[in-house]
Amino acid sequence: MKQIYLDHASTTPVRAEVLEAMLPYFGGEFGNPSSIYPLGQRASDAVAEARETLANLIGAQPREVFFTSGGTEADNWALKGFAHANAAKGKHLITSAIEHHAVLHTCEALEHEGFEVTYLPVDEHGLVRPSDLKAALRPDTILVSIMFANNEIGSIQPIEELAAITHEHGAAFHTDAVQAFGHEPIDVNALGIDLLSASAHKIYAPKGVGLLYVRKGVKLANLLDGGQQERGKRATTENVPGIVGFAKAAELAAAELTPEHDRQLALRDHAIKRVLVEIPHAKLNGSWENRLANNVNFSFEFIEGEGMLLQLAARGICVSSGSACTSGSLDPSHVLLAIGLPHEIAHGSLRLTLGRDTTQEDVDFAIDSLKTTLVNLRMMSPLYEDFKRGEVDSVIERFAADGFPYTN
Ligand SMILES: *Cc1c(COP(=O)(O)O)cnc(C)c1O
C-alpha cells in the first residue's frame, strides 16, 4: 500500500542532499572539533561554516547562533537562561496560551521557582491581540515569548508588532520559530527578535539538533555546564554531522523558499476549499490569511478524532488529530480550546501538514478518503442520528451563525 505522509509539522524525512553532506562526519571526518590536529580542525571548520550559513538565513551574526539538541532545548534555554540571568530586573514573563509544550511547561517550571507568568489569550483565528500584550506588560516584565507560527493550526503571529511593543516597555522578545524557520522569510533585525528557537528535523534534517539565536548583548545563564564548547555557553561535544546536515537543509530551504512556499500554499488552499465545499459539518481551525503554507486543520462534527485517524491510517494516510488523544491523554488540545472550540468538536479535529514531496494527487486522495471515512463514521454515530431527527443542535452551525467565516 502506498503511504501518503501528511504530518510534516510533526517531523520531516532527511533529504538525500542532507544525508550526503552528513555522511563524511560519521566516517573518516569523525574528529572532535576541540582537538588541535587537522582531523579536529576540519570538524571545527565544518561547524563554523554551518553556523555562518544558519546565521545568514535569519540575518544574524554567526556569534549569535548557538547549537542545541533541538527546539525543546532552545526554548528551555531561552526562557530559563534569560529568567535566571535577569531576575534582578524583574520576575514577570508573558507568553501565549497556544505555545508548544516546550514553552508552556518551561513557564510552569519557572512559576514553581517563583517567577510569574501571564498567558495571553488568542482570538478565534489563533492570533495574539497586540492590545492584550500592551495591557499585560508591567514594570517587572523581563521577557515576552510568542511563537512565530503555531504547530497545530498554523497561525502566524504579528511578530514585528509584538516585538516592538515589548521593546517599548524595555523587555526582551523570544520567539519559538520551529515551524517557521526555513519555511517563512525571517530577519531577526527587521522583526526585532532578541531570541529565536529553531529545530533541524522540521526542515528535512535529522532529529536531535537545533539552534538558539541570541542577540548580541542579551544575557543568558547556562543550561549545560561542562567544557568550553559554544564559547563556554553550552557544554557537550558538538553534534558535528547533525549540525552540518542542519545547515545543508537550511541552505536548500533558503534557495527554494518562495517557489516551494507558493506551491504548498496553492495545494493547501485547494484542500481547504474542497473540504469546505464537499464535507458537511466542517470548520477550518485558525486563520486562513495568516497561516503557514502547509497547514490544514479542520474540526468535523459528530465523529471521534481517533476513529478518523485509524480509518485514514488503514488507507496509508499519515495525519494527526487535533486532540492529544494520540499521546495517551483524553484532553482536547490546549490550542483548539484556546480558539474557543467546545470539547465536542475539539475532539473531532484533523491536521494535515504538507511537505516538499506532497502532490495534488496525494491531497486529493486524502480528501477523498476523508469524505468516505466521515460518511462511515457518521453512519455509526448516535449523535448524528439525534441531529438528523432535530434533537440536538450543530455546534458548527452556531459558529457560522456567529459570523465565523470558514464553515460548511
Ligand atoms: C517540534 C516543535 C518543537 C520541539 O522541537 P524538537 O526539536 O522536537 O525538540 C518546539 N516548538 C514547536 C512549535 C514545534 O513545532
Side-chain angles (χ1 to χ4, degrees):
M1 186 175 56
K2 192 184 171 205
Q3 175 180 274
I4 296 182
Y5 185 78
L6 294 173
D7 204 15
H8 292 84
S10 144
T11 195
T12 58
V14 172
R15 282 177 80 153
E17 304 94 313
V18 169
L19 182 61
E20 196 189 334
M22 293 169 67
L23 282 175
Y25 299 93
F26 287 114
E29 297 297 325
F30 63 88
N32 186 324
S34 301
S35 306
I36 57 158
Y37 41 78
L39 180 70
Q41 283 312 294
R42 288 198 298 274
S44 171
D45 291 348
V47 170
E49 197 184 312
R51 199 186 308 279
E52 197 173 325
T53 302
L54 288 156
N56 281 341
L57 187 66
I58 53 171
Q61 297 299 316
R63 289 173 62 88
E64 297 172 312
V65 169
F66 296 87
F67 291 111
T68 67
S69 63
T72 300
E73 185 191 328
D75 286 340
N76 270 264
W77 191 12
L79 273 72
K80 291 176 184 166
F82 191 90
H84 293 157
N86 295 279
K89 291 186 210 153
K91 299 190 90 176
H92 180 234
L93 292 82
I94 299 174
T95 188
S96 85
I98 62 164
E99 298 297 313
H100 190 274
H101 284 138
V103 167
L104 287 181
H105 291 163
T106 298
C107 284
E108 284 166 25
L110 286 169
E111 285 178 298
H112 287 297
E113 288 179 33
F115 288 89
E116 248 187 280
V117 182
T118 299
Y119 300 87
L120 297 179
V122 291
D123 68 14
E124 60 180 359
H125 300 289
L127 299 172
V128 172
R129 296 180 200 85
S131 56
D132 285 342
L133 173 59
K134 256 184 211 154
L137 280 153
R138 313 192 314 213
D140 61 339
T141 308
I142 50 172
L143 182 67
V144 174
S145 176
I146 306 286
M147 71 201 312
F148 205 108
N150 184 266
N151 47 301
E152 291 186 39
I153 57 173
S155 50
I156 300 177
Q157 302 299 333
I159 293 298
E160 188 176 356
E161 193 178 354
L162 298 173
I165 293 168
T166 301
H167 289 150
E168 276 166 33
H169 283 73
F173 189 82
H174 167 250
T175 187
D176 172 343
V178 172
Q179 290 291 334
F181 185 87
H183 297 281
E184 292 288 326
I186 300 178
D187 182 316
V188 288
N189 296 313
L191 295 173
I193 295 165
D194 300 308
L195 294 153
L196 175 145
S197 307
S199 176
H201 77 101
K202 306 286 174 80
I203 65 161
Y204 306 91
K207 295 158 187 63
V209 58
L211 67 79
L212 180 64
Y213 157 77
V214 184
R215 178 177 293 282
K216 186 169 181 281
V218 170
K219 277 212 226 89
L220 279 196
N222 289 0
L223 211 56
L224 295 187
D225 294 309
Q228 283 304 304
Q229 291 90 356
E230 299 293 286
R231 303 208 321 280
K233 296 196 190 307
R234 199 241 179 202
T236 188
T237 303
E238 297 85 343
N239 174 0
V240 182
I243 288 167
V244 167
F246 189 12
K248 186 68 188 175
E251 187 187 307
L252 293 167
E256 17 182 272
L257 194 78
T258 309
E260 191 48 33
H261 174 277
D262 293 354
R263 191 191 73 86
Q264 290 185 23
L265 188 125
L267 281 184
R268 176 201 80 181
D269 286 348
H270 171 72
I272 292 176
K273 284 175 191 157
R274 272 203 65 188
V275 172
L276 286 178
V277 169
E278 300 176 34
I279 302 184
H281 311 295
K283 174 191 175 294
L284 179 70
N285 292 318
S287 164
W288 196 337
E289 292 77 27
N290 301 102
R291 187 181 197 97
L292 286 171
N294 77 336
N295 179 290
V296 178
N297 187 312
F298 271 96
S299 280
F300 301 105
E301 211 163 359
F302 314 119
I303 52 117
E304 279 296 329
E306 302 100 291
M308 192 162 49
L309 285 192
L310 287 172
Q311 289 207 13
L312 291 173
R315 291 163 187 265
I317 300 169
C318 311
V319 288
S320 58
S321 117
S323 77
C325 301
T326 41
S327 52
S329 137
L330 280 175
D331 297 335
S333 131
H334 64 285
V335 176
L336 297 178
L337 296 180
I339 59 170
L341 291 197
H343 282 243
E344 309 96 279
I345 63 166
H347 272 300
S349 297
L350 191 72
R351 180 187 73 181
L352 286 73
T353 42
L354 322 178
R356 293 184 61 250
D357 299 328
T358 309
T359 62
Q360 170 142 356
E361 203 187 350
D362 295 337
V363 169
D364 281 328
F365 182 76
I367 304 289
D368 291 341
S369 305
L370 181 62
K371 277 171 75 173
T372 314
T373 299
L374 287 174
V375 168
N376 290 342
L377 289 173
R378 283 174 178 162
M379 244 161 38
M380 298 183 298
S381 156
L383 198 63
Y384 191 51
E385 280 303 308
D386 294 347
F387 167 74
K388 283 194 300 184
R389 282 200 301 266
E391 286 165 15
V392 297
D393 286 338
S394 158
V395 175
I396 289 178
E397 279 172 23
R398 208 159 66 226
F399 269 96
D402 288 346
F404 188 86
Y406 317 124
T407 55
N408 187 27

